[in-house]
Amino acid sequence: MDGTAIDSLLHGFVVLLTFKNMLLMMVGIILGIFVGVLPGLGGPNGVALLLPLTFTMDPTGAIVLLSCIYWGALFGGAITSILFNIPGEAWSVATTFDGYPMAQQGRAGEALTAAFTASFFGALAAVLLITFLAPLVARFALRFGPPEFFAVYFLTFCSFVGMGKEARHKILISMLIGFLLAAVGMDTVGGSLRMTFGFSDLLRGFDFLVAVIGLFGLSEILLTMEEKLAFEGKQAKLDLKVVWRTWKSLPRYWATLIRSAIAGCWLGITPGGAIAASFMGYGLAKRFSRDPDSFGTGRIEGVLAPETAAHAAGTSALLPMLALGIPGSGTAAVLLGGLMIWGLQPGPLLFVEHADFVWGLIASMYLGNIAGLILVLATVPLFAAILRVPFPTIASSVIVLCAIGAYAVHGAVFDIWLMVLFGVVGYVFKKLNYPLAPLALALVLGDRAEDAFRQTMIASRGNLTVFWSNSLVGSITSLALLLLLWPVLSDIMKRLRKSGDGVPTGAASG
Amino acid sequence: MSRGEDAVVSRRTVELFVSGLLSIVGIGLAISNWKLGASWAADGPQPGYFPFLLSTMLALASLYGVFDALRGRHGARGDAAFVKRDEFVRVLQVLVPTILFCLATEFLGIYVAGFLLIAGFMRYIGESRWISCVAVALVLMASLFWCFEIEFQVPMPKGPIEDRLGY
């Protein structure tokens, strides 16, 4: 075991345990649960909306507040899934499959306790992973120069295209739009203006926060209005007896929990995100079950598996963000943007130059999730009551919040208009199954990826073989290309196997 | 089938429109970046090189999208409604007030515009009573004002009314 990691973590707790930070933690979790419960507000835009409030705070307090909003949102999404059959977040869609049937059978308390505890377990697994793995990755990454960094960015983008579930050309289009938007404005290497077409408002370029608020926030309100939500909720009663009985039954499902935690951590580090993880966790639990047909009728594993995986993925998405400066999810991308605004340079040097900040954050992940579990168990009835507020009140307040969030980034009214435009684009894209996460990711990383590439090219005098100049950068680049071409390769392999089975029709031509 | 169930526009049409628009944007940006200098200089790429490459790829991927939508392999899903009439009306019920709210922000500041949006929305879409609309909107905007202007000192666009009050 790594002794230095434990020392650093203890130091992190010392940084964290001030009255102000504990207060921020509580406030963050409660706001987060709120954000998770409300349809139309989610992890990425909930964090983006509150980012302006942290501009004047110290970075440690700011990241504690924002990351706790994220933990709260992860917990809160389950409440509406189970009680109202409405996923408050995309990552709790899979929780509705068995959670709502359980609530209908009068087992809402059991389902909620299971969901929260599973979330807690998943998060804990991911935080342990971060505690021991992140410093190693960061130390390793200290040897990185521009070519290595570009190769890692390239790997991230390729894995999105190669591993995504949506149509490939749509993933590619979404990512390219992100890159192009990032390139608008001043060229960071040469200083020339690109794609501004004479508009002075475009000199600044497009800020990804404005895009995130529109794409994920306003578009969600438009979609929710279109679907005409009707809230028909089940009563939530959580007494300690139910909680205790459910906890006693959980060790029986250790295999499901561990399987989901591993799947979640994996998908969080590779940019699969919490949404993919929750479905994968559910699918795995169903496949390994002795009675797969009973899933969907109110099985507790159907709640445990997606919640564990979603929370593990959501938490472990912060590992590549901290160690390499590459976010593993939409929310991590927003937090990364926050780091840059507070004047911190994300990446491996963060562990050396701002150890207080990093270890304070990691310590807050432990405490935040414990506090989150207790707070969410205690406040379920309160938050379930929020959905009795008529939707028009919620919708209009969220729109005002989105406008405030967009304006606060640069203090420009132009950005509010942009946010509305992004909202409409997000609405159309979501309906046509264009994924939005690649756009947000490319918008955040676009400039840095280009800088890394051009610095590499200046150093190597325009020689592309520099990306295979040593074993480290060479294997990352090769892995990236492999991931990019994975769909094509697996297709060819499938066809080969088919023709081997003696199916001659047209297989050889492919 | 009632009129509300009629499709305003089919999914295929919107797919075509979006892919077509993106191809045009891609081509346009490619031309703009070509003019900026998109070749490979002695010290690596020129400023327009990356955007040129990206916009060309965007144009190609979107042209594939046009082709994919025209091919019509998606069958019934492609012919399905992108949005039905009553759904579209509900979307406009949010979108139009949002645009009006942005306009009002330019002149009245965000707090007054926000008050009008929330109160109006609750009244006409939510059909709440006038008194509760005004009360809720006032409390919400006042607490936002307190939070941003006084507590965290993040200034928001303000209009003539805040001016009179000395902010």
Side-chain angles (χ1 to χ4, degrees):
Chain A
M1 193 168 278
D2 196 336
T4 51
I6 302 222
D7 287 346
S8 314
L9 182 63
L10 287 177
H11 177 68
F13 277 110
V14 174
V15 175
L16 181 68
L17 287 170
T18 64
F19 177 72
K20 198 188 111 224
N21 284 343
M22 300 310 285
L23 190 71
L24 284 173
M25 189 155 124
M26 297 290 169
V27 171
I29 289 166
I30 301 232
L31 280 175
I33 301 174
F34 193 72
V35 158
V37 166
L38 287 181
L41 271 182
N45 57 63
V47 175
L49 283 178
L50 288 152
L51 196 52
L53 288 186
T54 66
F55 287 169
T56 50
M57 289 164 69
D58 75 292
T60 311
I63 192 85
V64 167
L65 178 68
L66 290 186
S67 61
C68 283
I69 290 171
Y70 189 25
W71 317 140
L74 280 161
F75 277 115
I79 299 180
T80 48
S81 300
I82 290 169
L83 294 180
F84 296 87
N85 204 20
I86 296 162
E89 296 291 341
W91 56 64
S92 34
V93 171
T95 312
T96 60
F97 300 160
D98 278 277
Y100 188 62
M102 280 180 85
Q104 280 177 312
Q105 295 157 14
R107 293 156 66 207
E110 197 185 332
L112 286 168
T113 311
F116 300 147
T117 317
S119 302
F120 174 71
F121 181 80
L124 196 65
V127 181
L128 283 171
L129 187 79
I130 292 180
T131 310
F132 294 105
L133 206 56
L136 294 181
V137 176
R139 207 174 307 152
F140 182 64
L142 280 176
R143 305 202 329 241
F144 279 23
E148 282 83 3
F149 269 111
F150 179 76
V152 174
Y153 293 137
F154 190 56
L155 177 70
T156 314
F157 301 133
C158 290
S159 63
F160 251 115
V161 177
M163 298 288 158
K165 282 204 309 275
E166 294 86 356
R168 311 264 167 241
H169 70 279
K170 291 189 173 172
I171 305 178
L172 195 62
I173 288 175
S174 166
M175 193 178 285
L176 287 168
I177 294 175
F179 277 125
L180 282 167
L181 290 176
V184 168
M186 189 83 84
D187 161 22
T188 43
V189 176
S192 50
L193 290 178
R194 302 190 294 198
M195 295 182 277
T196 53
F197 305 104
F199 291 104
S200 59
D201 275 318
L202 288 182
L203 287 180
R204 280 194 310 270
F206 288 90
D207 196 284
F208 87 103
L209 284 174
V210 177
V212 163
I213 292 170
L215 287 173
F216 294 92
L218 186 63
S219 76
E220 204 57 46
I221 291 290
L222 294 176
L223 280 172
T224 317
M225 258 320 257
E226 179 194 297
E227 284 161 14
K228 198 179 182 180
L229 273 189
F231 299 129
E232 285 173 39
K234 297 284 156 201
Q235 281 302 317
K237 274 186 295 211
L238 262 187
D239 55 57
L240 280 175
K241 245 187 289 170
V242 177
V243 173
W244 183 241
R245 203 167 28 146
T246 314
W247 276 355
K248 268 203 308 202
S249 75
L250 287 183
R252 229 181 299 155
Y253 306 108
W254 62 273
T256 307
L257 291 172
I258 290 176
R259 210 163 32 225
S260 283
I262 293 173
C265 287
W266 170 249
L267 281 175
I269 294 172
T270 61
I275 298 163
S278 63
F279 283 103
M280 190 171 171
Y282 190 83
L284 282 174
K286 197 171 165 179
R287 187 177 301 166
F288 281 95
S289 170
R290 254 172 264 149
D291 186 12
D293 290 335
S294 67
F295 272 77
T297 59
R299 277 187 70 117
I300 195 165
E301 288 110 308
V303 175
L304 292 172
E307 284 293 319
T308 311
H311 228 120
T315 310
S316 57
L318 296 188
L319 191 154
M321 181 201 93
L322 283 174
L324 299 172
I326 295 170
S329 70
T331 314
V334 177
L335 289 176
L336 183 86
L339 293 191
M340 296 195 248
I341 290 174
W342 306 321
L344 299 178
Q345 189 58 40
L349 277 177
L350 205 60
F351 279 81
V352 182
E353 287 170 358
H354 299 280
D356 276 4
F357 171 81
V358 173
W359 289 103
L361 168 62
I362 294 177
S364 87
M365 292 179 186
Y366 286 95
L367 279 188
N369 276 296
I370 296 172
L373 180 64
I374 297 166
L375 273 176
V376 78
L377 282 170
T379 54
V380 165
L382 185 73
F383 282 104
I386 289 174
L387 287 191
R388 293 195 198 103
V389 175
F391 186 67
T393 313
I394 295 177
S396 52
S397 322
V398 171
I399 293 170
V400 173
L401 277 178
C402 288
I404 289 182
Y407 177 85
V409 179
H410 289 295
V413 179
F414 176 74
D415 284 345
I416 301 181
W417 290 105
L418 262 184
M419 184 275 294
V420 175
L421 183 68
F422 275 115
V424 176
V425 170
Y427 166 76
V428 174
F429 272 24
K430 272 184 191 162
K431 295 212 73 174
L432 294 180
N433 298 334
Y434 281 85
L436 294 176
L439 199 163
L441 185 81
L443 192 49
V444 182
L445 290 183
D447 278 342
R448 298 167 63 206
E450 192 190 342
D451 287 353
F453 183 81
R454 287 171 72 180
Q455 281 161 9
T456 311
M457 287 298 106
I458 289 170
S460 76
R461 303 214 174 79
N463 189 349
L464 274 176
T465 53
V466 66
F467 291 115
W468 280 274
S469 62
N470 63 49
S471 56
L472 178 64
V473 68
S475 45
I476 301 175
T477 315
S478 308
L479 183 65
L481 288 175
L482 184 73
L483 278 175
L484 182 66
L485 298 175
W486 183 249
V488 185
L489 290 176
S490 68
D491 203 42
I492 293 173
M493 274 185 353
K494 234 183 261 166
R495 279 169 195 235
L496 282 177
R497 206 170 297 151
K498 246 190 199 166
S499 63
D501 289 346
V503 186
T505 44
S509 65
Chain B
M1 206 191 250
S2 72
R3 265 176 63 81
E5 293 284 302
D6 290 349
V8 178
V9 55
S10 80
R11 206 183 140 87
R12 191 195 311 275
T13 316
V14 182
E15 288 269 16
L16 265 178
F17 175 76
V18 170
S19 315
L21 187 70
L22 287 174
S23 338
I24 296 169
V25 169
I27 294 168
L29 289 178
I31 295 171
S32 140
N33 282 301
W34 182 257
K35 284 184 190 155
L36 190 65
S39 52
W40 197 278
D43 60 346
Q46 289 181 332
Y49 177 79
F50 262 105
F52 174 74
L53 204 70
L54 293 169
S55 33
T56 315
M57 279 163 71
L58 177 65
L60 289 177
S62 325
L63 284 174
Y64 175 81
V66 172
F67 166 73
D68 193 55
L70 282 178
R71 190 167 50 168
R73 206 179 49 174
H74 304 298
R77 216 164 66 92
D79 293 321
F82 176 75
V83 60
K84 295 187 179 120
R85 186 177 300 272
D86 53 353
E87 290 173 343
F88 190 58
V89 169
R90 283 199 296 270
V91 171
L92 286 184
Q93 277 176 343
V94 198
L95 196 56
V96 173
T98 304
I99 291 170
L100 291 177
F101 158 70
C102 294
L103 262 180
T105 300
E106 303 253 13
F107 301 104
L108 299 172
I110 210 160
Y111 296 106
V112 178
F115 170 80
L116 292 175
L117 177 75
I118 295 175
F121 211 76
M122 284 176 70
R123 176 70 195 139
Y124 291 105
I125 313 289
E127 291 170 357
S128 308
R129 282 177 305 137
W130 264 120
I131 177 81
S132 49
C133 298
V134 172
V136 169
L138 199 65
V139 169
L140 278 175
M141 292 323 293
S143 40
L144 283 174
F145 186 86
W146 173 78
C147 187
F148 282 92
E149 303 288 335
I150 298 168
E151 200 56 31
F152 287 90
Q153 310 206 332
V154 181
M156 287 289 136
K158 286 180 283 292
I161 295 183
E162 289 94 334
D163 228 24
R164 287 274 171 80
L165 294 171
Y167 279 99

